[in-house]
Amino acid sequence: MPAADPSSRTLSLGTGLRYHVLEWGAADAALDHTVVLLHGFLDFAWTWEETVAAALAGRFHLVAPDMRGHGDSDRVGAGGYYHFMDYLADLDEVIAQTARARLSLVGHSMGGSIAGYWAGTFPARLARLALLEGTGPPESSETAPERVASWISGWRHARGRAPRRYADVAAAAAQLRRNDPLLGEALSLRLAERGTAPAGAGAGAGGERVFKHDPLHVTTGPYGFRLDAAQEFWRRVTCPVLLVDGGESFFHHEPAEAERRHACFADRRHAVLPGAGHMMQRHQPAALARLLAEFLS
């Protein structure tokens, strides 16, 4: 069980969306170092609960949001799309409403990209930045017209297709383990319970389930990842940076490419977690928490 239970609340953001956030240490004013934990693609805030947050609670004021279209935060709605920089505007609002005197960001995968861009936009505000396989995907090989064509086609199909249903929480948990063979059964069940909702009106707690994330997320966005643009943000980061890779991860860049990205951060250190895949906070939570606690302190 987690060392401390988080509080759960909803923030009304200036961007027009309501964001669900988990918070540890909300009532402890003595915790003046806020650490915002940013989940990855198709993940959600509860990914940190029994892993990293359980070890860091009581030492830091922790805030973990569900990013737009994930978990219990609002989806963009009809006519909207998930353009990447929109996440930065949302994060800036979350920070404005929750952060205390000292601020650090921990971002996993997509959350790392969001954290890195925000850190380069507001470098003077940040004390520490930890990127957990968060220096972006490979650059897109598609031309801009090809990518836009894929985006339009994917958008049309995603809006017209019903989300996949699972017989119950156990079936949803089994799907999580198929996608992540290093994920244990007990944690997969807890994540599936938190990350799914009844499938339609009248479905009971034991009925069919669907994952909470907006299906629009699985479409190809209109803008591919551009390393040159990312580097402009990263080179402006002035705080110490921790870069963490999973020893068993598929997400590694080749050494030369990894160094090209890491070298953008002036004050950096690098660590590899043995036995961890891309979802390192689920695979080696104790080792990751030790790394983060030492770095953030």
Side-chain angles (χ1 to χ4, degrees):
M1 294 299 292
D5 292 328
S7 60
S8 175
R9 63 180 173 128
T10 300
L11 305 178
S12 294
L13 305 188
T15 54
L17 299 182
R18 293 171 302 168
Y19 254 46
H20 170 251
V21 301
L22 300 178
E23 197 168 2
W24 291 259
D28 189 348
L31 298 175
D32 65 350
H33 187 172
T34 297
V35 179
V36 180
L37 304 166
L38 300 173
H39 66 76
F41 180 63
L42 302 189
D43 206 355
F44 61 136
W46 291 103
T47 195
W48 306 104
E49 182 202 17
E50 292 191 36
T51 55
V52 172
L56 299 183
R59 304 180 62 176
F60 305 95
H61 169 229
L62 304 175
V63 176
D66 288 333
M67 304 308 291
R68 60 170 59 198
H70 293 81
D72 293 311
S73 288
D74 280 349
R75 298 182 179 187
V76 292
Y81 194 76
Y82 296 94
H83 299 292
F84 203 85
M85 291 304 167
D86 294 338
Y87 294 116
L88 268 70
D90 293 342
L91 173 60
D92 194 62
E93 281 282 314
V94 171
I95 288 171
Q97 294 190 36
T98 63
R100 298 176 182 174
R102 187 172 171 85
L103 172 67
S104 295
L105 298 180
V106 175
H108 171 248
S109 195
M110 182 191 82
S113 294
I114 297 168
Y117 290 159
W118 192 92
T121 304
F122 304 105
R125 181 67 176 92
L126 208 57
R128 294 285 189 276
L129 173 66
L131 303 180
L132 315 180
E133 297 198 347
T135 56
E139 291 193 271
S140 174
S141 60
E142 293 178 295
T143 66
E146 288 171 334
R147 192 171 181 98
V148 169
S150 296
W151 171 56
I152 292 173
S153 175
W155 195 352
R156 181 181 300 117
H157 285 93
R159 285 303 189 206
R161 184 175 61 244
R164 180 177 176 182
R165 295 182 174 214
Y166 297 86
D168 50 26
V169 168
Q175 180 62 39
L176 290 177
R177 295 195 301 276
R178 281 192 289 272
N179 291 338
D180 181 4
L182 295 177
L183 177 61
E185 183 175 4
L187 183 54
S188 74
L189 286 166
R190 187 161 180 83
L191 292 170
E193 180 183 13
R194 298 287 197 184
T196 63
E208 291 185 319
R209 311 286 293 185
V210 294
F211 282 100
K212 291 180 178 178
H213 61 259
D214 190 339
L216 197 58
H217 282 304
V218 301
T219 62
T220 298
Y223 311 111
F225 174 74
R226 284 183 50 202
L227 181 58
D228 60 339
Q231 288 174 319
E232 290 184 27
F233 289 92
W234 297 340
R235 290 184 180 122
R236 285 173 46 87
V237 176
T238 55
C239 69
V241 178
L242 174 65
L243 301 151
V244 186
D245 290 312
E248 308 299 321
S249 177
F250 67 90
F251 204 76
H252 281 164
H253 297 293
E254 292 297 320
E257 177 63 15
E259 177 56 27
R260 185 159 69 116
R261 298 182 184 214
H262 293 181
C264 295
F265 301 102
D267 183 355
R268 67 189 182 277
R269 62 209 72 181
H270 179 236
V272 177
L273 282 181
H278 183 57
M279 304 298 289
M280 62 185 74
Q281 71 275 21
R282 301 178 180 180
H283 305 152
Q284 294 293 334
L288 177 59
R290 285 193 296 270
L291 269 178
L292 290 173
E294 178 182 358
F295 174 69
L296 295 168
S297 297

